[in-house]
Amino acid sequence: GQQLNQSPQSMFIQEGEDVSMNCTSSSIFNTWLWYKQDPGEGPVLLIALYKAGELTSNGRLTAQFGITRKDSFLNISASIPSDVGIYFCAGHVPSNTGKLIFGQGTTLQVKP
Amino acid sequence: DAGVIQSPRHEVTEMGQEVTLRCKPISGHDYLFWYRQTMMRGLELLIYFNNNVPIDDSGMPEDRFSAKMPNASFSTLKIQPSEPRDSAVYFCASGLAGAGNTIYFGEGSWLTVV
C-alpha cells in the first residue's frame, strides 16, 4: 500500500535556527498536508498544498508540493520554543477518494 | 464554530470490558475518519465514512472493533472485548468533499486498558 517516508524522525535545535523536514512517497499524491500536534492534543492543520510545484507560506512556515507529486517539504524559519511538537505530513491518495495517508512524524524540540 | 468533539477524553478500563468512543463531526462535513495513534505505529487510519456510509474499513484491526455512523452528526467506535494492546489515543476527524480534502481532528480519546 501507499506509504509516506518522513524525515528526520526527530530534531533538537537551538531557538532561532531554521528547520527543514520532508516527506517522500513511491506513489503520486493529489494533495499534501502538513499538521502539527502539541502534547495532549489532536493534530492541527498548518498548510495544505493542492498542485505540483505549489509553494505556500503561513507565517514562518513554508511548504512546497514537489514537481513529481511524490514529495513535499516544510520549512520553519527562526524557530521559537512554541514550535515544539510533532509535525506530520499527509498525502491524499488519488485512487481512493477521502483517504489520507500520514507520515511517521518529525518530533521537534527547541532549546531556548 | 465548534470543531470535532470527542468523548470521553480519557478512559481507563479493565481488560474484557466494552469501550465506546463517540464523535461529533464538524457540522456540514461529509467525511468522518477514525484514527488510532500509538508510539510504535504512529497514526493509523481505522475506518472512514462518506455521507454516513463506511467506505474503507481495511484498517480496523480485528472483529473486536466496530464503528457506526447512524447520522451525519454522530459516530461511535466500539471495542468489545477490550485488551491491553488497544491502549492508544483514538482520534476522530472530519472533512468536506471539495474543500481541498483537508481534514480536521478532534482532541482525541485517550484509552488505557489494564
Side-chain angles (χ1 to χ4, degrees):
Chain A
Q2 296 91 353
Q3 284 188 319
L4 290 182
N5 297 309
Q6 188 171 348
S7 65
Q9 187 174 357
S10 63
M11 302 179 74
F12 190 89
I13 62 169
Q14 195 76 32
E15 181 179 2
E17 290 183 354
D18 296 343
V19 173
S20 184
M21 58 191 79
N22 68 83
C23 269
T24 60
S25 172
S26 57
S27 304
I28 290 173
F29 287 91
N30 282 347
T31 305
W32 284 95
L33 307 174
W34 285 92
Y35 287 83
K36 182 194 177 195
Q37 185 177 23
D38 290 326
E41 304 293 333
V44 174
L45 182 66
L46 297 174
I47 291 180
L49 302 160
Y50 302 115
K51 58 182 181 181
E54 180 180 355
L55 183 71
T56 297
S57 294
N58 178 5
R60 293 178 296 106
L61 278 60
T62 302
Q64 185 159 30
F65 192 144
I67 291 292
T68 64
R69 297 171 61 194
K70 295 183 179 180
D71 64 309
S72 177
F73 71 75
L74 174 71
N75 288 340
I76 305 173
S77 62
S79 59
I80 59 178
S82 62
D83 291 334
V84 165
I86 304 176
Y87 292 79
F88 291 98
C89 62
H92 185 259
V93 181
S95 60
N96 191 336
T97 303
K99 189 169 185 175
L100 203 58
I101 306 296
F102 279 81
Q104 306 96 320
T106 295
T107 300
L108 177 64
Q109 298 183 60
V110 180
K111 184 178 180 181
Chain B
D1 288 339
V4 176
I5 300 173
Q6 291 186 246
S7 65
R9 282 279 277 147
H10 299 272
E11 179 153 348
V12 180
T13 190
E14 290 186 345
M15 181 174 62
Q17 296 297 307
E18 177 178 293
V19 173
T20 299
L21 307 178
R22 298 173 177 81
C23 176
K24 177 179 169 56
I26 293 172
S27 177
H29 281 189
D30 52 2
Y31 280 91
L32 184 139
F33 305 80
W34 282 101
Y35 284 87
R36 177 172 69 176
Q37 186 177 35
T38 60
M39 288 290 291
M40 292 297 294
R41 301 172 71 89
L43 269 168
E44 302 175 275
L45 177 63
L46 301 178
I47 185 172
Y48 77 94
F49 296 83
N50 179 219
N51 292 321
N52 314 338
V53 176
I55 302 300
D56 185 345
D57 65 355
S58 59
M60 295 286 262
E62 48 196 274
D63 292 344
R64 297 184 299 106
F65 286 69
S66 62
K68 293 182 180 179
M69 192 166 185
N71 58 63
S73 59
F74 184 66
S75 176
T76 59
L77 178 67
K78 188 173 292 188
I79 308 172
Q80 167 63 21
S82 58
E83 296 181 4
R85 61 194 168 118
D86 301 331
S87 298
V89 185
Y90 291 82
F91 287 104
C92 178
S94 70
L96 181 64
N101 300 310
T102 55
I103 67 173
Y104 299 88
F105 285 80
E107 294 188 317
S109 291
W110 299 68
L111 174 66
T112 302
V113 183
V114 297

